[in-house]
Amino acid sequence: MAEEDRWGHGGYGTGAMTIAAATPVHRADLVVVGAGAAGLFTALTAAQAGARVALVSATPLARTASYWAQGGLAAALAADDSPAMHLQDTERAGRDLVRRSAAEVLCEEAPARVHELVGMGVAFDADRNGNFSLGLEGGHSIRRIVHAGGSATGRRLVRQLSALAVEHPRIDVLEGSRAAAIWTDQDTGACRGLVLEDGRALATRGVVLCTGGTAALWSRTTNPPGSLGSGLMLAHHAGAALADLEFMQFHPTAVTGVGGREGFLITEAIRGEGATLHGADGERFVDELQPRDEVSRAVFAEMARTGASSVGLDMTAIDPALFPNVVAALRESGLDATAERIPVAPAAHYGMGGIVTDLVGRSTVPGLYAVGEAACTGLHGANRLASNSLSECCVFGRRAALAVLDDPVPASASQPPEPTPLPVPGRETQDALWRNAGLVRSREDLATLLLDPYPLARLIGACALLREESRGAHWRSDFPDRDPGLDHRHSVVDPGARPAFAHWA
């Protein structure tokens, strides 16, 4: 690479450099936006294949949504498990909306990605014989979840991959940089690069959006404040289709009514080890290991029945050493998980919808890819199976990285567009989504979102109005039954068009 095409000097360690703002256009084989599990794994895969990678992160490394992930990675690693069994559980949780081809890819390739992470230095929990210590979570028929440090999996995974990325000589880390626009060719519409808010432009073979989901658009959420769907907005403005925006998974056990810990997620793995949920009368009211949509609605219904603002999670019989960070965080807030029930209620947690992609992450815009929660392959259907998301980041991150490097080197493109900061939703939008697109929706409530000032909120409302049924994470009080005619039909939004159903095999 010519010296003028490199990134400048200084930075974060061997090979990690900042871009000099005086140079308007810089080049890389691959630009990855977002430094969570999906972005880091994508960047490392491409770099290991010999590519020069620019890794764009709005936040410091190891401070993304993936960092806070308490769940593990789902993979058929046990002797009595199989990818076919994993597939069956994924499809059951997804409520006849899972794209089978995407689920087959995940279930077949997840074990190899777990072993690859071990080779990268991620230390997963093991039993006394050195075998993976596999956990059980809701919707799984067998123990198949690998964790690192119990409920600290996301933290340990992201820290290790961040350290590898910073030290890799072919990865240039751009911390504190925000994407402002996808650079597309005026004649073909193909993606040619990325423009940052500070005016720098990155020319590349392919841009991979790993920007996370939309759960922070809801006022009560388990996600960090930045999970506002920025990647979806960038892609849609560039001409990419979005899909399944109506499906927001609400996690059933987020702490509530505790100062400083509102929305703090208590991992499903704790219920997998025997923790129970209790109503105001002290009685259990749900099978805690059903898929998340069922448990969340049961909690919601119990709160409505009793008028209580929460239910109690009883984890007093659980060995605190299994989940040290959860127990410590609760103790810091004055809650003793070993002696009292923890007040919990549902919160927006994970969006099944996103940028429409194929099985290697390609969007409907040539040269533009998406991986992880920003993407929608149809893998999760109407309800994500617990711990499939971190596995998805690695499985599809590897596929996207290698696919970009198979793309031809693009010809010179038109000048990059001027940077325009993405709009930021106000509190009124977050309150409106929680109120009108929460666990139970209606036509009247959803229609109000069509007038919301934030474009993505309007699209969410339009998709939810289109789906006149109840399925998985989308529950309509005016259409309480599932419509078999909508099996495997996904709500797709092309730019400038209304949502319409498309059948995905």
Side-chain angles (χ1 to χ4, degrees), residues 194-482:
L194 183 76
V195 177
L196 305 178
E197 282 189 358
D198 63 9
R200 291 175 291 176
L202 314 177
T204 182
R205 286 191 191 186
V207 171
V208 186
L209 296 173
C210 304
T211 49
T214 60
L217 288 176
W218 279 255
S219 57
R220 177 166 165 76
T221 180
T222 65
N223 280 214
S227 298
L228 300 172
S230 61
L232 280 64
M233 296 278 286
L234 286 168
H236 200 57
H237 186 71
L242 308 179
D244 292 347
L245 300 181
E246 69 270 32
F247 291 110
M248 170 55 61
Q249 185 177 81
F250 294 86
H251 199 288
T253 54
V255 172
T256 188
V258 179
R261 288 297 177 186
E262 194 66 37
F264 176 73
L265 182 147
I266 299 182
T267 174
E268 191 156 335
I270 288 176
R271 282 179 280 130
E273 295 301 324
T276 52
L277 288 165
H278 300 259
D281 58 4
E283 298 298 318
R284 290 176 66 183
F285 58 89
V286 66
D287 174 357
E288 291 85 358
L289 289 180
Q290 293 182 107
R292 283 180 183 167
D293 62 327
E294 296 184 39
V295 179
S296 291
R297 282 195 302 277
V299 172
F300 181 81
E302 179 67 12
M303 290 164 54
R305 183 184 71 83
T306 64
S309 60
S310 65
V311 299
L313 178 68
D314 188 343
M315 49 184 290
T316 56
I318 307 302
D319 181 358
L322 294 174
F323 305 99
N325 67 320
V326 171
V327 173
L330 293 172
R331 185 176 292 119
E332 289 171 4
S333 301
L335 297 173
D336 185 355
T338 67
E340 61 184 316
R341 290 174 181 165
I342 307 302
V344 296
H349 179 59
Y350 188 96
M352 273 67 74
I355 303 161
V356 174
T357 69
D358 65 10
L359 301 185
V360 295
R362 290 192 188 95
S363 77
T364 55
V365 172
L368 181 62
Y369 292 69
V371 173
E373 195 174 351
C376 182
T377 62
L379 164 66
H380 303 301
N383 181 54
R384 176 176 66 97
L385 181 65
S387 287
N388 267 357
S389 51
L390 283 178
S391 300
E392 175 190 22
C393 290
C394 300
V395 167
F396 288 93
R398 180 179 187 275
R399 285 175 151 252
L402 299 179
V404 171
L405 300 185
D406 280 341
D407 286 346
V409 177
S412 58
S414 54
Q415 287 298 306
E418 290 295 321
T420 303
L422 292 171
V424 178
R427 180 69 186 191
E428 64 277 9
T429 290
Q430 295 169 309
D431 289 341
L433 279 164
W434 179 256
R435 182 173 59 251
N436 300 315
L439 278 86
V440 179
R441 298 106 179 255
S442 69
R443 179 188 299 277
E444 181 181 11
D445 290 340
L446 291 169
T448 66
L449 295 176
L450 302 182
L451 302 176
D452 195 272
Y454 191 60
L456 195 51
R458 297 197 296 271
L459 294 179
I460 291 168
C463 288
L465 279 167
L466 177 67
R467 187 170 291 280
E468 295 181 337
E469 65 162 354
S470 291
R471 183 188 298 262
H474 171 71
W475 204 261
R476 293 275 298 262
S477 60
D478 46 350
F479 294 96
D481 299 318
R482 188 191 305 185

Side-chain angles (χ1 to χ4, degrees), residues 153-232:
T153 305
R155 182 178 308 179
R156 295 194 179 186
L157 177 68
V158 170
R159 278 181 176 172
Q160 179 61 19
L161 297 187
S162 293
L164 294 175
V166 164
E167 295 300 323
H168 202 292
R170 286 188 291 275
I171 297 178
D172 300 304
V173 181
L174 285 70
E175 288 182 319
S177 298
R178 293 184 180 275
I182 303 298
W183 175 5
T184 56
D185 189 282
Q186 291 180 354
D187 295 327
T188 66
C191 173
R192 292 293 180 252
L194 183 76
V195 177
L196 305 178
E197 282 189 358
D198 63 9
R200 291 175 291 176
L202 314 177
T204 182
R205 286 191 191 186
V207 171
V208 186
L209 296 173
C210 304
T211 49
T214 60
L217 288 176
W218 279 255
S219 57
R220 177 166 165 76
T221 180
T222 65
N223 280 214
S227 298
L228 300 172
S230 61
L232 280 64

